[in-house]
Amino acid sequence: MARRWRDGRGELVVGAEGGVRGVSVPLEVATSYRARTKGLLGRDSVDGAILLSPASGVHTFRMRIPIDVAYLDRRLNVIAVRTMKPGRLGLPRLRSRHVLEAEAGAMAGWGLRVGVRVEVSVG
């Protein structure tokens, strides 16, 4: 199931199961080298989340805020979630194909944790 997104905006849905709609979050998609490299650098806040794809690891050098980082496999299952302070280097995850970034604490509020599957819609 290959993902071929482009830079832009969309929606992240967390916890949709059995016909029940989960939490909907505004999403920025960064797939180009330039957009992935920039990520959240230089921002004081983020509305929702940013999806870096493809990606297996991140860093927070030159970031202004602590962030939550979720590593996703190719089926968009969450395989790890970490909170990172500015100036840190995250270890790459071998099975990770995509990385979600959001303000620290946001992912817990959405119910995003290891084992949860997310949905991405780009329009």
Side-chain angles (χ1 to χ4, degrees):
M1 165 180 344
R3 306 269 188 247
R4 300 228 189 270
W5 298 303
R6 292 190 172 176
D7 292 348
R9 300 209 172 267
E11 178 183 60
L12 175 72
V13 179
V14 180
E17 290 184 36
V20 176
R21 180 116 170 116
V23 176
S24 178
V25 178
L27 182 68
E28 184 177 333
V29 179
T31 59
S32 69
Y33 176 77
R34 183 178 182 142
R36 287 191 326 262
T37 302
K38 183 172 181 193
L40 296 178
L41 293 176
R43 297 189 196 184
D44 293 321
S45 66
V46 59
D47 179 29
I50 184 169
L51 175 71
L52 308 175
S53 179
S56 61
V58 297
H59 68 81
T60 58
F61 301 125
R62 297 185 339 209
M63 282 201 183
R64 298 178 180 169
I65 57 173
I67 61 171
D68 283 345
V69 178
Y71 299 88
L72 310 175
D73 67 10
R74 63 187 177 99
R75 292 195 168 105
L76 301 180
N77 295 308
V78 178
I79 57 176
V81 179
R82 299 286 180 264
T83 299
M84 295 177 64
K85 295 178 183 178
R88 302 288 194 265
L89 177 63
L91 295 174
R93 305 290 170 172
L94 293 178
R95 292 182 10 234
S96 178
R97 296 295 179 264
H98 319 282
V99 173
L100 279 172
E101 296 180 343
E103 285 189 40
M107 290 183 182
W110 304 332
L112 196 141
R113 62 189 180 287
V114 174
V116 168
R117 186 174 186 280
V118 299
E119 295 177 11
V120 172
S121 62
V122 181

